[in-house]
Amino acid sequence: IGCGRADMCKFIIDFFGEQALYSGIDHNPIMSDLAKQKYGYETKVGAFETAQFNKHDWVVASGVFTQRRCQTEDEDLHKLFKDIKLMYDLANSTVSINLLSPINNQQHEGFFYVHPGLVLDMLIEQYQNVSIRHNYSKDVYTVLIYKF
C-alpha cells in the first residue's frame, strides 16, 4: 500500500524468487507509471480503502501514514486504526506499517506524529500479537501485527 515505484517488489523478488506474488497500489498515477517503466510491473492506481485485493501473506504500508489526512489528530488516529483493520483483514500472516515518532524529533506542520506507546496499547487490545521496532531511525518506527 503506497507502493510508489514498486521498489519493494524488486526486493521481494530478489529475496524470495520469481514465485513471490506482489500486488501494489498507489494513489498517484505518476508513481504507478514509474513502477511500470522501472520494473515492468503493473500496480493499481487508487485508494487502498476501496480497492479490491485478494489476501496476501504480508500487507505493508510504508510512508502512507506520515501526512496528516484529517482535520484533527483524533480524526487522524481514528482513520489510522480503521485503515489498520482493513489491512489486517487482507493479511494472512503479518501487517507492517511505519509511523512518525514524536519522541526526540523536530515536528513539522502537516505531518502525523503518534507516540509508539499509545499505538502499542491500542493495538494490543485489538490484536494481541504486536511488536514495535524503534531502532533504526529516531524519526520513524515500524509496527508489526502478527496473525498467529
Side-chain angles (χ1 to χ4, degrees):
I1 297 171
C3 67
R5 302 175 308 181
D7 292 329
M8 186 170 287
C9 176
K10 178 173 178 1
F11 169 79
I12 290 169
I13 290 172
D14 287 350
F15 191 83
F16 292 103
E18 292 294 325
Q19 77 277 6
L21 174 64
Y22 174 90
S23 298
I25 187 167
D26 201 288
H27 72 277
N28 187 337
I30 293 170
M31 297 309 276
S32 291
D33 289 343
L34 287 172
K36 186 168 186 169
Q37 290 172 17
K38 191 169 184 179
Y39 300 114
Y41 187 75
E42 293 280 345
T43 60
K44 291 185 180 187
V45 176
F48 81 91
E49 299 93 335
T50 58
Q52 296 296 312
F53 279 107
N54 294 327
K55 288 188 113 180
H56 284 67
D57 291 337
W58 281 66
V59 177
V60 178
S62 182
V64 172
F65 304 116
T66 56
Q67 302 247 329
R68 295 285 310 269
R69 301 182 294 160
C70 301
Q71 294 296 315
T72 68
E73 285 187 25
D74 283 344
E75 289 171 341
D76 272 324
L77 202 56
H78 179 74
K79 174 104 175 86
L80 170 66
F81 290 108
K82 183 178 174 183
D83 290 345
I84 289 171
K85 171 73 169 98
L86 291 172
M87 295 172 64
Y88 188 82
D89 291 343
L90 287 171
N92 290 321
S93 169
T94 307
V95 171
S96 175
I97 66 169
N98 55 25
L99 296 167
L100 293 174
S101 175
I103 302 170
N104 300 320
N105 190 11
Q106 181 180 4
Q107 296 183 21
H108 302 280
E109 187 71 30
F111 288 88
F112 180 50
Y113 298 86
V114 58
H115 196 283
L118 173 66
V119 170
L120 185 62
D121 285 348
M122 293 182 79
L123 290 177
I124 283 176
E125 281 187 34
Q126 176 104 21
Y127 303 107
Q128 288 79 50
N129 299 309
V130 179
S131 68
I132 289 184
R133 300 211 41 192
H134 198 308
N135 62 342
Y136 61 93
S137 168
K138 68 177 184 164
D139 301 334
V140 179
Y141 61 96
T142 297
V143 178
L144 297 156
I145 306 168
Y146 304 99
K147 289 182 154 182
F148 295 134

